[in-house]
Amino acid sequence: MNASTRFKLSPVVMPEQDPAERVHNVREVPLGFTPEMALHEAQRCLHCTNQPCVEGCPVGVRIPEFIQAIESGDYLAGIGIIKQTNLLPAVCGRVCPQEEQCQKNCTVGKAHRDVGQAVQIGQLERFLADWERENHAAVIPQIPFASGRRVAVIGSGPAGLTVAGDLIKLGHAVTVFEALHMPGGVLGYGIPEFRLPKEIVYAEVAYLTRLGVDFQYNMVIGKSLGVDEVRQSYDAVFIGSGAGLPNFLGIPGESLLGVYSANEYLTRANLMHAYNENSDTPILRGKSVEVLGGGNVAMDSARTALRLGALRAIVLYRRSEEEMPARKEEYHHAVQEGVEFHFLQNPVKILGNREGWVTGLTVQKMQLGEPDASGRRRPLPIAGQTSNVPADVVVVAIGNNPNPLIPAALPSLQMNRHGGIVTDENTMETSVPGVFAGGDIVLGAATVILAMGQGRKAARAIHALLTRTTETAKG
């Protein structure tokens, strides 16, 4: 098929659950490509010689090659190509912002002057990963002779899993310490089932277990086991403990009953199955839920509220729709499901009754001024324009800061003013020799694929360190 014919092919429309049905369940919303759909979408790829899509991928997946494998029907080769650089394709295919990365660079999308016309790389990645899992086709690579070196990974989020997978394949023993009772970090507690089924996360972790990675759960490093103990027992340490410290607005009423951080709200629902009425996990099933924020976590919280039985789920955002940082896909799904959006509204007080329960919010009407440091127009209050709105649950979804536990237990770590660990941008090594870090503990709340990119850098540097140490010992 020539390039002209490929260019004329229309994008495949991903089948989805009907909005009226899906708000009453937690099953995944997009249903995935059939083989016929995947073939059609793969045929839209122009196989550019300069491969701009690869340049847009933080872990350098060889995108045209795996798409070519789909075209030829060799799915096993396709997933093998992806897994050479990305050990979490089923996750990345679902939650990574491809429209801001690989698909943003796609020649087809640029030629149409519409990123929505780009080849749907993420959906094709998901297709191959799902095929591998559903057909039990995972190929376990041959692990080289054991190096005798041991690496501790603190946290089983995307960065930690990437480090573990890369280093185990290089012959080093890897132990992953996870504070929770289940793996995945933010993939498990932060992303709802309807966006990322937990069986997907557990299947990816099971693959690493088969490679030989040792997972230790309910291990809070800095509490259950001291950081110095870990450093003494392992040849290198990677810190990937994430950004689990929620931000709050600092307004009156945030301590009222019925006010949740998005972290707590989503953890109760996702990881502890509060969406199931038979679950022992308590959660307030409010009828009118106000979500404060405009990112993907705010979308997740509002959509979760509907699935918990809310009659109204309202997102309050102090800027306009244009400035909202949430992915367009997530915003689109939220609108379809009936989430209400009140733009240019800023909460200034949370209202409550004598018993200490939330009853509503006082909101300030805003207008947009000149762009601020983020590049978005700054929200400015309009004097005298406030109003009260009812609510029985408020979810604060305005971002997170890096987890402070590890830095507090290792005072010699150099930190930035946001509480993140300072690292060398090429090696991800911290100010403490032999200790590396990556993901949200460095970046703040960022994307899965960016965390994985840092994990890949760290794994290379750790391998180089362990190799040098081994050669020195032999000498």
Side-chain angles (χ1 to χ4, degrees):
M1 187 181 296
N2 61 38
S4 176
T5 303
R6 290 174 181 272
F7 187 74
K8 293 176 183 177
L9 295 175
S10 299
V12 175
V13 177
M14 169 66 79
E16 298 176 343
Q17 276 199 74
D18 181 82
E21 177 184 347
R22 71 192 191 221
V23 293
H24 300 296
N25 66 63
V26 294
R27 296 192 301 273
E28 191 170 13
V29 170
L31 301 177
F33 283 163
T34 64
E36 294 75 20
M37 291 174 176
L39 174 60
H40 178 98
E41 190 63 32
Q43 289 173 336
R44 300 182 63 236
C45 178
L46 302 180
H47 302 288
C48 310
T49 55
N50 60 340
Q51 301 186 347
C53 53
V54 178
E55 293 180 11
C57 176
V59 296
V61 172
R62 301 190 336 255
I63 294 166
E65 292 181 43
F66 88 69
I67 291 179
Q68 178 61 56
I70 293 176
E71 271 200 75
S72 63
D74 193 348
Y75 300 158
L76 190 61
I79 191 64
I81 291 167
I82 294 174
K83 282 197 164 181
Q84 287 177 11
T85 52
N86 180 3
L87 289 174
L88 305 174
V91 171
C92 290
R94 286 168 163 83
V95 302
C96 282
Q98 292 92 3
E99 67 278 4
E100 294 295 327
Q101 295 170 337
C102 54
Q103 291 174 198
K104 184 177 182 179
N105 285 6
C106 176
T107 302
V108 177
K110 285 185 174 180
H112 282 286
R113 297 184 179 180
D114 179 5
V115 71
Q117 293 289 318
V119 176
Q120 297 176 73
I121 297 166
Q123 301 296 0
L124 292 175
E125 181 179 45
R126 167 187 167 163
F127 170 78
L128 284 176
D130 288 354
W131 173 86
E132 178 193 50
R133 185 183 67 261
E134 291 163 4
N135 289 276
H136 308 286
V139 175
I140 304 300
Q142 185 174 356
I143 304 299
F145 184 76
S147 70
R149 298 296 178 179
R150 304 174 71 223
V151 180
V153 175
I154 302 173
S156 67
L161 294 178
T162 299
V163 171
D166 282 3
L167 290 177
I168 199 76
K169 289 193 295 184
L170 292 167
H172 308 300
V174 181
T175 300
V176 177
F177 295 101
E178 170 54 53
L180 297 174
H181 62 290
M182 291 182 176
V186 69
L187 304 177
Y189 71 77
I191 303 178
E193 188 82 7
F194 54 81
R195 273 219 296 141
L196 180 63
K198 298 302 162 275
E199 66 172 317
I200 302 295
V201 178
Y202 302 151
E204 303 282 43
V205 171
Y207 175 77
L208 294 180
T209 301
R210 291 175 67 188
L211 290 180
V213 177
D214 176 29
F215 286 87
Q216 297 288 325
Y217 299 110
N218 300 305
M219 291 293 293
V220 183
I221 303 302
K223 295 292 184 181
S224 307
L225 191 64
V227 177
D228 286 334
E229 292 179 75
V230 174
R231 291 179 63 204
Q232 291 167 10
S233 302
Y234 292 85
D235 299 294
V237 177
F238 176 81
I239 302 171
S241 49
L245 182 66
N247 291 327
F248 285 91
L249 290 162
I251 61 176
E254 279 188 306
S255 61
L256 287 167
L257 299 170
V259 178
Y260 288 95
S261 70
N263 263 22
E264 180 184 359
Y265 191 69
L266 293 174
T267 297
R268 287 176 180 270
N270 300 334
L271 194 66
M272 303 170 73
H273 304 154
Y275 57 79
N276 184 340
E277 292 186 356
N278 296 320
S279 170
D280 291 332
T281 302
I283 195 167
L284 289 177
R285 295 172 176 267
K287 297 303 181 185
S288 181
V289 179
E290 295 275 354
V291 178
L292 316 182
N296 290 332
V297 175
M299 305 302 110
D300 290 343
S301 299
R303 296 173 68 193
T304 295
L306 292 176
R307 287 161 172 80
L308 289 171
L311 300 179
R312 297 182 72 192
I314 302 161
V315 171
L316 283 181
Y317 183 55
R318 62 182 184 155
R319 290 182 167 98
S320 72
E321 177 183 342
E322 185 178 348
E323 284 80 24
M324 193 165 61
R327 292 182 69 188
K328 289 183 179 179
E329 178 183 11
E330 304 309 325
Y331 174 52
H332 170 69
H333 282 156
V335 171
Q336 281 185 323
E337 292 170 7
V339 174
E340 302 173 40
F341 287 83
H342 293 180
F343 295 108
L344 295 169
Q345 300 281 340
N346 191 42
V348 293
K349 184 178 182 180
I350 301 176
L351 307 173
N353 59 24
R354 291 181 179 179
E355 288 74 38
W357 292 92
V358 168
T359 58
L361 291 160
T362 299
V363 297
Q364 167 75 58
K365 190 171 183 181
M366 310 294 282
Q367 61 186 346
L368 295 179
E370 295 300 313
D372 61 15
S374 72
R376 295 173 296 170
R377 295 177 65 191
R378 184 187 302 275
L380 301 171
I382 301 175
Q385 295 201 29
T386 61
S387 59
N388 292 340
V389 295
D392 48 13
V393 171
V394 173
V395 181
V396 183
I398 58 169
N400 300 299
N401 283 325
N403 190 318
L405 186 58
I406 303 299
L410 194 58
S412 52
L413 272 180
Q414 184 181 350
M415 312 298 294
N416 63 32
R417 62 188 181 90
H418 301 294
I421 298 175
V422 175
T423 63
D424 181 289
E425 65 178 28
N426 295 314
T427 66
M428 308 310 298
E429 189 166 19
T430 71
S431 57
V432 180
V435 176
F436 300 75
D440 288 356
I441 190 69
V442 172
L443 294 164
T447 65
V448 169
I449 198 71
L450 285 176
M452 293 175 66
Q454 289 199 333
R456 173 129 296 155
K457 285 183 182 180
R460 285 196 296 265
I462 291 170
H463 176 61
L465 171 67
L466 298 182
T467 303
R468 287 196 305 270
T469 305
T470 301
E471 291 174 351
T472 301
K474 288 179 180 178

